[in-house]
Amino acid sequence: MVEDIDKGTFDNENRDYTNKLKKLKGKRASKSDSKKYIYLLLVVVVVLGLSFIGFSIYNNMIDEANLRITTLENAKEEAINTINQMFSQYPGDPQHTLYVNKIENCKSINEVNKVLDEVSNYIRFIEYKNDVINDIKNAYGPYYEDSFYAKTLVYKIKNTKSKNEVDNIIKNANIEENAKKYYINEIENSVAYYNYYRVPIYGPKRLISGKELLNYVKKLSLTEIKNINITPVSFNRVAIVVSGTQCGKIPYEGSKIEIYNKNNASVEPILGIINSSYVIVSNIDYMEFKNVSNILSEDGYTTSVISISNITYNMTNVPGILYATAADRLDYNKIKDKFGRYGEKLNKIQEDTQIFDEKAKYLLVLSVPSDSIPDLISMKAEEIYIVNVE
């Protein structure tokens, strides 16, 4: 019975222990399940978070890719518009289409910019060629179409592929001298050798014969020849009387002069050519005194002898001598020998002695451009001042 009690007791205790153990295990299992749920929840949260982040990154990548595509397309469109504008002055140029196709095939904005740089360089090259071609055409002016040489140069330049090629063609060309021939030939065809023309020579206008003009223009540059102003001159003959102080030494036949107004030197001078010049003489007077003294001693006496010698040279009515010669009353050759080149000899002796007769007067017969006659007539005799040009 004791055993039964003990056994019952043990069984009860065993059951209690078992129940407690089960409860304990249940609690432990409950705690373990809770941890599993927490872990699972954490995993879910992490996965969801990573998924969200990944999705966001993916969306950003898609957006960025779309933005890059949109930006590239916009850049291409803008670049094509720029190219169209740059080629607007060169319609039909085959490079236009090639550059547009290049832009359409670009994979990045960097490639687009490189193509635009190519286009800019090409347009600058085209403009450079056109500037050179225009310079050639301007050099020849109205004679461009007549020059096979000029048109050949232009053809070569149009077919060049680089600036160096253009420069080499120009370096080896002889444009100025070739173009000058056309302008000089035109002047030769319009100028008469023995006519006179009014031409600005190194600044002021000068009278120059056709022969002198042709020799002059050959020494000019192409630009100077193109800008030269040649005015044919018709002359009137006029005679003026001036003193030696108004023109210095007497000018000779063919001398070119400029006639200034002493009271208004800023006015453009009147141009003229001397046809003939004369010294105005009525009487020629020359007198020389010579004193000779001698002392004679004889028998202690001294005698002074003084001799005064007067040499007088007087020629009156010199014009009368000329008239008498013209009337065959005097020997023509003798008179010519005595008086020939009188003005020239007078100039020479005055230069050598530096003695000038301010009373000398000259009659100048000169040819003056017809349009200058009114100005010359309006000048008073004392206002005239003459400069010898040559």
Side-chain angles (χ1 to χ4, degrees):
M1 183 144 180
V2 172
E3 292 178 357
D4 291 337
I5 294 171
D6 292 336
K7 186 178 181 180
T9 303
F10 176 78
D11 289 337
N12 290 330
E13 290 177 352
N14 191 33
R15 282 196 292 274
D16 290 338
Y17 177 77
T18 300
N19 290 332
K20 289 179 180 180
L21 183 61
K22 286 181 178 179
K23 289 181 180 180
L24 180 60
K25 287 182 177 180
K27 289 180 179 180
R28 288 179 178 176
S30 177
K31 289 181 179 179
S32 176
D33 290 341
S34 296
K35 288 181 179 180
K36 288 180 181 178
Y37 288 139
I38 291 172
Y39 291 146
L40 181 60
L41 181 60
L42 288 173
V43 170
V44 170
V45 170
V46 170
V47 170
L48 289 174
L50 292 175
S51 298
F52 178 77
I53 293 171
F55 182 73
S56 297
I57 292 173
Y58 174 76
N59 281 339
N60 287 337
M61 291 174 64
I62 295 298
D63 290 341
E64 288 178 2
N66 290 334
L67 180 61
R68 283 196 297 272
I69 292 171
T70 302
T71 302
L72 179 59
E73 291 302 317
N74 289 337
K76 286 182 178 181
E77 183 178 354
E78 185 176 348
I80 290 173
N81 289 335
T82 300
I83 291 173
N84 290 338
Q85 184 177 358
M86 294 173 77
F87 275 93
S88 61
Q89 297 182 14
Y90 310 104
D93 192 308
Q95 290 295 119
H96 183 189
T97 302
L98 292 177
Y99 284 125
V100 170
N101 290 337
K102 273 191 174 184
I103 291 292
E104 290 175 344
N105 293 320
C106 287
K107 305 299 182 184
S108 67
I109 292 179
N110 189 41
E111 290 182 22
V112 171
N113 290 333
K114 286 183 178 179
V115 175
L116 285 176
D117 287 340
E118 288 181 31
V119 176
S120 295
N121 291 334
Y122 177 75
I123 293 297
R124 280 197 293 269
F125 174 56
I126 293 296
E127 289 173 346
Y128 180 73
K129 288 203 297 186
N130 287 341
D131 287 342
V132 173
I133 289 171
N134 287 334
D135 287 342
I136 293 174
K137 291 182 177 180
N138 289 335
Y140 284 86
Y143 308 109
Y144 170 73
E145 293 298 331
D146 298 330
S147 175
F148 176 77
Y149 180 73
K151 289 190 285 187
T152 300
L153 287 177
V154 169
Y155 174 79
K156 288 180 179 179
I157 291 170
K158 285 182 177 179
N159 288 281
T160 55
K161 303 299 181 184
S162 69
K163 183 176 179 293
N164 286 337
E165 289 183 56
V166 177
D167 292 341
N168 285 333
I169 291 173
I170 296 302
K171 181 180 178 181
N172 296 313
N174 191 21
I175 296 171
E176 175 153 338
E177 290 303 315
N178 185 263
K180 276 176 63 174
K181 293 178 182 178
Y182 291 92
Y183 289 94
I184 292 174
N185 185 62
E186 177 65 24
I187 293 174
E188 287 178 341
N189 292 335
S190 60
V191 167
Y193 258 41
Y194 299 105
N195 287 350
Y196 275 83
Y197 301 85
R198 193 156 36 200
V199 180
I201 299 182
Y202 306 117
K205 290 181 179 178
R206 297 283 173 82
L207 286 176
I208 187 170
S209 69
K211 184 177 180 180
E212 293 171 321
L213 174 59
L214 293 178
N215 291 329
Y216 170 69
V217 296
K218 289 176 182 177
K219 301 174 184 178
L220 300 179
S221 68
L222 176 61
T223 301
E224 289 171 329
I225 292 176
K226 291 171 69 174
N227 293 327
I228 193 170
N229 183 16
I230 301 172
T231 306
V233 176
S234 61
F235 289 100
N236 286 104
R237 189 167 292 190
V238 63
I240 60 174
V241 175
V242 294
S243 67
T245 56
Q246 287 176 277
C247 68
K249 63 182 182 180
I250 185 173
Y252 303 129
E253 180 182 349
S255 296
K256 295 173 185 176
I257 63 172
E258 293 177 346
I259 303 173
Y260 288 87
N261 187 329
K262 288 196 293 186
N263 295 331
N264 192 0
S266 61
V267 176
E268 188 173 336
I270 298 171
L271 307 179
I273 300 173
I274 300 294
N275 298 116
S276 54
S277 56
Y278 306 91
V279 180
I280 300 176
V281 176
S282 58
N283 298 322
I284 297 176
D285 296 315
Y286 173 79
M287 183 174 292
E288 180 179 331
F289 297 93
K290 187 175 182 179
N291 296 333
V292 179
S293 62
N294 292 309
I295 298 176
L296 301 175
S297 297
E298 185 177 355
D299 299 330
Y301 295 97
T302 301
T303 303
S304 297
V305 179
I306 300 175
S307 175
I308 300 175
S309 175
N310 294 336
I311 299 174
T312 302
Y313 179 80
N314 186 295
M315 184 180 295
T316 61
N317 192 18
V318 174
I321 295 172
L322 301 183
Y323 283 113
T325 305
D328 294 328
R329 304 305 299 171
L330 296 174
D331 188 286
Y332 178 88
N333 291 323
K334 286 183 178 180
I335 298 301
K336 180 180 177 182
D337 181 62
K338 294 295 182 182
F339 291 99
R341 312 300 296 178
Y342 183 89
E344 184 176 342
K345 287 186 285 187
L346 182 62
N347 285 343
K348 176 64 176 171
I349 194 64
Q350 288 182 149
E351 287 177 358
D352 291 342
T353 61
Q354 293 185 319
I355 299 173
F356 182 75
D357 181 10
E358 64 179 10
K359 297 179 181 179
K361 287 188 176 294
Y362 309 130
L363 171 66
L364 306 180
V365 179
L366 61 152
S367 293
V368 175
S370 301
D371 56 0
S372 298
I373 292 296
D375 295 329
L376 182 60
I377 293 174
S378 66
M379 293 172 64
K380 296 179 181 178
E382 62 272 15
E383 293 176 341
I384 293 175
Y385 190 82
I386 294 176
V387 174
N388 282 275
V389 178
E390 55 180 51

